[in-house]
């Protein structure tokens, strides 16, 4: 499986996925490209340090052309993992990767999903509602935010005194432990 990771930010998930699959070539997954919609995303540095090619996409090119498909093709990408990528994925890209694009969401969908529910907003809302647990959802990407079929969910218990920042840390740890595993499982089942 030739994987492209799409990011908008720091890229801690991208870092773990790149390092894990680099250390374990027997898993059959190569991270061949990292795409960011932000030229300042820390993830770009993480990828460059690891010799993973990077691209920065501009809004117009992303939504008003399909030129990204040619880039993905030139790197032989056959699977996409969104890891903190904040733009809605346009239909042409979803059609080109049917059931071949995953997203990770830092909450137990369908709760705390949808437009505007990302990063700190999610954890603040979880805190405001006094939830006793939160978690992660890894799901296929379709044309609406956070509504594709779920592949994996895991929960973490919260303490009443957890701040939104502490909730974020607990949830991120779950993401790090699980995203690469889910990708590995999908790669293994597609090779059967
Ligand atoms: C993660 O919480 C992910 O679930 C969300 O954005 C965050 C990205 O973190 N969609 P990082 O850039 O991988 O550190």
């Amino acid at each position: 499986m030739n994987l492209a990771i799409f990011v908008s930010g720091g890229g801690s998930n991208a870092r773990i996925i790149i390092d894990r699959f680099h250390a374990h070539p027997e898993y059959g997954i190569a991270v061949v490209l990292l795409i960011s919609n932000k030229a300042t995303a820390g993830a770009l540095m993480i990828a460059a340090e690891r010799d993973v090619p990077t691209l920065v996409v501009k809004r117009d090119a992303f939504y008003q052309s399909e030129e990204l498909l040619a880039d993905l093709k030139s790197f032989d990408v056959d699977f996409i993992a969104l890891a903190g990528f904040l733009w809605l994925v346009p239909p042409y890209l979803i059609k080109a990767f049917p059931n071949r694009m995953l997203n990770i969401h830092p909450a137990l969908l369908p709760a705390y999903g949808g437009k505007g529910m990302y990063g700190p907003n999610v954890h603040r809302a979880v805190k405001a509602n006094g939830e006793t647990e939160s978690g992660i959802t890894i799901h296929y990407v379709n044309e609406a935010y956070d509504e594709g079929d779920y592949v994996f969910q895991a929960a973490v218990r919260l303490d009443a005194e957890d701040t939104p920042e502490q909730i974020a840390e607990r949830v991120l740890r779950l993401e790090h432990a699980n995203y690469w595993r889910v990708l590995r499982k999908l790669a293994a089942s597609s090779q059967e």
Side-chain angles (χ1 to χ4, degrees):
M1 182 192 274
N2 281 341
L3 184 68
I5 305 178
F6 282 45
V7 299
S8 300
S12 67
N13 277 288
R15 173 172 48 78
I16 288 187
I17 292 168
I18 292 168
D19 288 349
R20 187 67 56 158
F21 293 138
H22 185 74
H24 292 278
E26 73 276 16
Y27 294 167
I29 300 182
V31 181
V32 294
L33 185 61
L34 180 133
I35 292 183
S36 172
N37 66 325
K38 269 179 83 178
T40 53
L44 288 167
M45 188 71 89
I46 287 172
E49 282 167 3
R50 290 160 173 78
D51 291 329
V52 173
T54 60
L55 277 178
V56 176
V57 280
K58 296 228 163 68
R59 186 173 275 278
D60 284 359
F62 192 60
Y63 288 108
Q64 270 142 48
S65 80
E66 299 188 4
E67 60 194 48
L68 191 61
L69 293 183
D71 293 320
L72 293 169
K73 201 164 178 202
S74 71
F75 285 93
D76 261 337
V77 171
D78 48 35
F79 206 99
I80 293 173
L82 309 182
F85 183 69
L86 298 182
W87 285 355
L88 186 66
V89 177
Y92 75 83
L93 195 50
I94 292 165
K95 282 200 193 87
F97 289 84
N99 285 327
R100 300 200 139 261
M101 194 183 319
L102 285 185
N103 181 42
I104 188 163
H105 185 79
L108 293 169
L109 292 174
Y112 305 105
K115 201 167 176 9
M117 271 296 163
Y118 60 87
N121 297 351
V122 172
H123 307 302
R124 275 198 287 266
V126 165
K127 172 73 186 174
N129 288 337
E131 300 286 359
T132 54
E133 65 172 21
S134 189
I136 63 170
T137 305
I138 297 173
H139 63 92
Y140 285 110
V141 176
N142 68 14
E143 282 149 37
Y145 273 114
D146 302 329
E147 286 181 13
D149 288 345
Y150 304 161
V151 183
F152 178 88
Q153 290 193 299
V156 63
R157 287 204 64 74
L158 304 177
D159 288 337
E161 57 277 7
D162 278 344
T163 62
E165 292 72 27
Q166 286 166 322
I167 297 172
E169 272 172 39
R170 289 180 194 270
V171 170
L172 196 61
R173 271 202 293 275
L174 264 190
E175 296 184 37
H176 292 168
N178 288 289
Y179 205 2
W180 69 271
R181 279 183 214 280
V182 170
L183 288 162
R184 182 190 165 196
K185 225 173 168 177
L186 287 181
S189 61
S190 74
Q191 279 153 16
E192 274 164 11

